[in-house]
Amino acid sequence: MNRIDQRMQALKEQNRKALITYIVSGDPTPALTVDAMHALVENGADIIELGIPFSDPMAEGPVIQLGHERALEHNVSLTSTIDMVKVFREKDQQTPIVLMGYVNPIERMGYATFAKMAAQAGVDGVLTVDLPPEEAVLLDEQLKAVDLKNIFLLAPTTTVQRIREVVNVASGFVYYVSLKGVTGAGHLDLDSVKDKLGIIQQHTDLPVCVGFGIKDGASAKAVSQYADGAVVGSVFVDKMGALQNEENQTIIDAVGQLVADIRQGLDSE
Amino acid sequence: MNDLTNVADIDFSSFPDENGHFGLYGGRFVSETLISALDELSEMYDRLKDDPVFQAEFDKDMAHYVGRPSPLYHAERWSQKVGGAQIYLKREDLNHTGAHKVNNTIGQALLAKYSGKTRVIAETGAGQHGVASATVAARLGLECEVFMGAEDVQRQSLNVYRMKLLGAKVHAVTSGTKTLKDAMNEAMRDWVTNVDNTFYIIGTVAGPHPYPKLVRDFQAIIGREAREQSLVQAGRLPDALVACVGGGSNAIGLFHPFLNDESVEMYGVEAGGDGVDTGRHAAPLNDGIPGVLHGNRTYLMEDENGQIIETHSVSAGLDYPGVGPEHSWLKDLGRVNYVAVTDEEALAAFRDLTLTEGIMPALESSHALAYAAKMAKDMPEDKIIVVNLSGRGDKDILTMANLDGITV
């Protein structure tokens, strides 16, 4: 069984919400990434989304754009990102890992090669921001062949008819983009999230997690009342950028503390 | 290398397909939030493109605001100097705002008006599309914000001020390489945030479906006129068409109405920068590979890891790592020949046309002129080449002065 399915099922049985944390591979330096991933897990992350650096991250706000730029300064690529997962798996065989990025680096590697390498390294799912289902057919075939989950986005602007079509091809979980905007935006509207999640859940049994604009334990808890989990990204990337000139241990401790705080908020009564 | 009998059977007017594909290219590679806006735009455009009221409004603006039809001018003196084929210039430089860009912004601003959106945004490289967008926004009373790479804001300061005079707000984009591609990223980010009230006026035949199609349709007025003018003035169709290709909107505008005319050869001229073999250029169709950027699959300049790389050209309007998807398809089909000329060759053509015809071309268009001159030499005098003179060179005077070591 795929680790994402296992983890989601376990959380459901424990009546807990998923905390999904995002960092960019190689940000601020490649040497830090695997340790940061372990720190995320030790302090309460259930699933790790590892960003694949890209020169033109169109859906990202300024914070995550800078994360991509820092990683690219160290020439971090899709290949080295997959290698980091391989190293992470030496110590952690349980935590699901989702690679999140843009399609061009994947296309350059080749869909089949990518799927095979990612699966061998211990990746569990893929979220390609600029590859809606209509364009994802060929990649989807390759991912299915190696039991990698294909995670799709739904947005406030997605129509009901389209929700049906997207959940039909989605697997692992569905990622609901909480707002019209880029990552790290600050205008989360809880009522609209609640309404839309209600509609989405009528059409799928897949877990639904909410991301974009979730900054702390309180906002994570707020959206999770209606969802199966929350995705948090910009706050980690921001912290890692701010501390980039500090010792590695300082950065890792700070990231760990942030996750612990969010976990506590998410689990609070 | 290509089976031309197949190409002759293609009905080019039936492309792209309903999902925006030109063969392998085009499509809609955007995040989910934008899909419904693109669906709405497709639906509205398909409804309006054959609507007589919408078409009449577009035609009226083209005639009385832009000043169309633009002349097809036989550059006799330059043809003689070059020696060989007769060169005709399609004078898009005489349009209001000084380039072909306005054909498209008029069309998209009309779509914005019909859609009820109150705010328009645009990306710009050299600033011509930004100026053309600010112009139509001023005329329709729409709020206008233009995204421009911080580098381009520096090197095209005249156009930045023009946009400001026209009431537009100009954002200097400091991410990535600080040029056109980053301006387009930033415009997409604005659009995804303000999608409810904002119409994104894309300046070239790239971006997600339906943009490559609708921009082409608005620009195809260039080729329709040139075809008609050639029949009247020369009594026949031209033997060859030449246009510069950055994103490729002026080229597709000239080429498209001739695609099913088998006797007409076509040449798209990319920016060769320091030379295609140096790697310092902006010629993805000559030296790139297919990939995905800015919502469509097309030829791109990228490294072995799929990262988009920096491009080089003396012309800001051609300094872009991608190209419209229809051009990628036409390249693979072999219907259009894609070639490149260097900065140096383009600058020589700029000076040559200015001195022999008293017409100062944009540096972008100078690439097409340079290639046409090379071709003409080897052709008999009774052959006809039509070059798209896509814009005028006023905006490039500071660049030229700089190269001459003169402070203006």
Side-chain angles (χ1 to χ4, degrees):
Chain A
M1 195 184 196
N2 182 289
R3 290 185 196 94
I4 296 173
D5 291 343
Q6 281 176 15
R7 180 59 54 98
M8 286 298 187
Q9 200 180 319
L11 286 164
K12 200 171 179 183
E13 282 161 10
Q14 297 158 19
N15 204 17
R16 293 176 80 212
K17 304 295 184 179
L19 175 56
I20 303 174
T21 56
Y22 170 96
I23 58 172
V24 181
S25 82
D27 170 35
T29 59
L32 193 83
T33 301
V34 173
D35 288 342
M37 290 165 75
H38 288 305
L40 291 169
V41 175
E42 282 156 20
N43 290 283
D46 295 303
I47 297 176
I48 291 177
E49 267 183 17
L50 192 58
I52 307 160
F54 184 47
S55 52
D56 294 80
M58 230 164 55
E60 315 298 345
V63 166
I64 294 181
Q65 285 173 46
L66 286 175
H68 283 246
E69 287 182 14
R70 285 190 295 267
L72 288 174
E73 275 167 30
H74 297 282
N75 293 315
V76 176
S77 63
L78 178 53
T79 309
S80 47
T81 300
I82 292 172
D83 286 343
M84 289 180 204
V85 177
K86 205 183 289 171
V87 177
F88 174 83
R89 280 281 173 250
E90 289 168 5
K91 285 192 196 157
D92 185 331
Q93 287 85 46
Q94 268 77 49
T95 308
I97 294 182
V98 173
L99 294 185
M100 178 169 183
Y102 296 79
V103 72
N104 200 52
I106 297 175
E107 196 148 314
R108 183 68 193 237
M109 180 179 278
Y111 291 165
T113 308
F114 165 70
K116 210 172 105 194
M117 278 180 64
Q120 278 170 0
V123 171
D124 306 287
V126 177
L127 197 174
T128 321
V129 181
D130 55 351
L131 200 67
E134 293 84 344
E135 303 287 358
V137 178
L138 295 177
L139 177 60
D140 205 41
E141 282 171 13
Q142 299 298 332
L143 297 180
K144 275 208 176 75
V146 290
D147 192 29
L148 287 184
K149 301 297 176 187
N150 200 356
I151 292 147
F152 285 101
L153 303 173
L154 291 175
T157 51
T158 309
T159 60
V160 173
Q161 150 122 29
R162 199 175 154 79
I163 288 173
R164 281 198 213 108
E165 291 163 10
V166 175
V167 298
N168 221 4
V169 291
S171 54
F173 61 93
V174 172
Y175 186 132
Y176 179 64
V177 176
S178 70
L179 47 80
K180 294 170 198 154
V182 292
T183 50
H187 50 278
L188 187 65
D189 174 355
L190 210 53
D191 286 338
S192 112
V193 171
K194 179 185 170 187
D195 292 347
K196 198 75 176 191
L197 287 175
I199 299 168
I200 294 168
Q201 283 154 345
Q202 282 170 24
H203 294 98
T204 184
D205 295 327
L206 283 173
V208 183
C209 299
V210 181
F212 283 45
I214 297 167
K215 295 178 162 5
D216 49 26
S219 48
K221 180 164 176 62
V223 295
S224 297
Q225 297 170 71
Y226 316 111
D228 300 290
V231 189
V232 187
S234 289
V235 288
F236 299 119
V237 178
D238 196 27
K239 180 65 83 183
M240 293 168 89
L243 298 176
Q244 60 178 306
N245 297 321
E246 304 290 324
E247 298 286 320
N248 281 359
Q249 197 55 49
T250 310
I251 306 177
I252 285 162
D253 290 346
V255 167
Q257 187 59 51
L258 257 179
V259 189
D261 290 347
I262 296 170
R263 179 86 247 177
Q264 200 182 15
L266 185 61
D267 290 345
S268 65
E269 289 305 315
Chain B
M1 133 183 123
N2 290 288
D3 187 351
L4 287 172
T5 50
N6 277 342
V7 174
D9 292 338
I10 295 172
D11 173 10
F12 288 94
S13 64
S14 70
F15 283 84
D17 68 17
E18 62 175 322
N19 295 315
H21 294 118
F22 301 91
L24 294 172
Y25 304 103
R28 195 181 266 179
F29 295 82
V30 294
S31 69
E32 178 62 29
T33 313
L34 291 176
I35 297 282
S36 70
L38 292 167
D39 277 341
E40 273 170 37
L41 180 60
S42 290
E43 203 178 289
M44 180 174 71
Y45 179 66
D46 286 341
R47 197 175 63 232
L48 290 175
K49 76 175 170 12
D50 301 318
D51 179 282
V53 178
F54 179 83
Q55 272 308 329
E57 208 170 341
F58 181 70
D59 292 345
K60 189 177 155 204
D61 281 353
M62 287 293 119
H64 300 292
Y65 189 69
V66 177
R68 304 200 71 92
S70 66
L72 183 67
Y73 168 69
H74 183 188
E76 288 181 73
R77 191 152 182 265
W78 193 51
S79 302
Q80 211 164 29
K81 185 175 177 223
V82 166
Q86 301 307 304
I87 303 174
Y88 285 69
L89 307 176
K90 181 60 176 161
R91 298 289 308 274
E92 293 298 300
D93 59 316
L94 294 177
N95 293 342
H96 179 45
T97 71
H100 72 291
K101 292 290 185 190
V102 72
N103 302 327
N104 168 48
T105 59
I106 294 262
Q108 289 198 50
L110 277 179
L111 291 175
K113 192 176 93 171
Y114 275 69
S115 72
K117 309 240 158 138
T118 55
R119 177 176 179 267
V120 296
I121 55 170
E123 85 293 338
T124 196
Q128 290 303 99
H129 174 60
V131 167
S133 298
T135 299
V136 295
R139 179 159 172 261
L140 293 174
L142 300 168
E143 188 189 339
C144 178
E145 298 191 27
V146 179
F147 296 88
M148 189 167 182
E151 292 251 329
D152 293 334
V153 167
Q154 291 293 327
R155 56 180 172 174
Q156 301 286 335
S157 54
L158 276 178
N159 270 343
V160 173
Y161 188 54
R162 280 172 87 189
M163 288 184 262
K164 286 180 181 163
L165 286 174
L166 288 160
K169 188 170 173 192
V170 180
H171 298 275
V173 176
T174 56
S175 56
T177 58
K178 306 179 178 61
T179 58
L180 178 56
K181 83 173 174 70
D182 309 284
M184 196 151 179
N185 291 333
E186 209 52 40
M188 289 286 211
R189 291 176 188 128
D190 181 291
W191 196 33
V192 84
T193 306
N194 300 298
V195 63
D196 291 335
N197 74 341
T198 297
F199 190 102
Y200 180 15
I201 303 184
I202 293 185
T204 191
V205 284
H209 177 64
Y211 282 100
K213 175 169 100 166
L214 64 87
V215 176
R216 175 199 72 197
D217 291 353
F218 292 136
Q219 292 294 2
I221 194 167
I222 301 171
R224 284 198 304 273
E225 285 176 5
R227 198 172 184 286
E228 186 65 35
Q229 288 164 324
S230 180
L231 290 171
V232 170
Q233 291 172 228
R236 62 185 186 85
L237 293 177
D239 299 290
L241 307 176
V242 183
C244 65
V245 177
S249 69
N250 90 80
I252 213 80
L254 176 64
F255 296 166
H256 199 262
F258 290 93
L259 285 172
N260 283 108
D261 295 315
E262 278 176 74
S263 68
V264 181
E265 291 187 1
M266 302 183 192
Y267 296 84
V269 186
E270 294 195 304
D274 293 347
V276 170
D277 52 354
T278 66
R280 288 176 53 85
H281 58 77
L285 292 169
N286 280 275
D287 190 34
I289 72 157
V292 174
L293 180 70
H294 293 152
N296 64 108
R297 181 179 284 116
T298 192
Y299 278 85
L300 297 175
M301 305 260 302
E302 59 175 59
D303 68 13
E304 70 280 7
N305 294 317
Q307 308 294 349
I308 308 306
I309 57 176
E310 204 167 345
T311 52
H312 296 275
S313 171
V314 69
S315 141
L318 301 182
D319 212 352
Y320 179 67
V323 61
E326 193 164 8
H327 286 293
S328 294
W329 182 57
L330 293 170
K331 171 193 156 77
D332 286 5
L333 288 173
R335 178 63 186 95
V336 179
N337 305 290
Y338 292 93
V339 295
V341 307
T342 62
D343 285 352
E344 204 178 322
E345 291 170 312
L347 290 165
F350 174 99
R351 292 182 198 278
D352 215 25
L353 191 78
T354 303
L355 288 173
T356 51
E357 293 284 354
I359 296 172
M360 203 176 285
L363 286 177
E364 289 77 11
S365 322
S366 300
H367 286 72
L369 293 165
Y371 193 78
K374 274 201 226 182
M375 273 177 74
K377 284 191 183 79
D378 300 328
M379 292 166 72
E381 278 182 20
D382 61 347
K383 295 285 183 183
I384 296 173
I385 301 174
V386 170
V387 180
N388 199 0
L389 192 61
S390 56
R392 62 179 176 233
D394 306 36
K395 69 178 175 59
D396 298 312
I397 286 175
L398 290 180
T399 304
M400 295 306 291
N402 229 345
L403 290 168
D404 285 341
I406 294 168
T407 312
V408 180

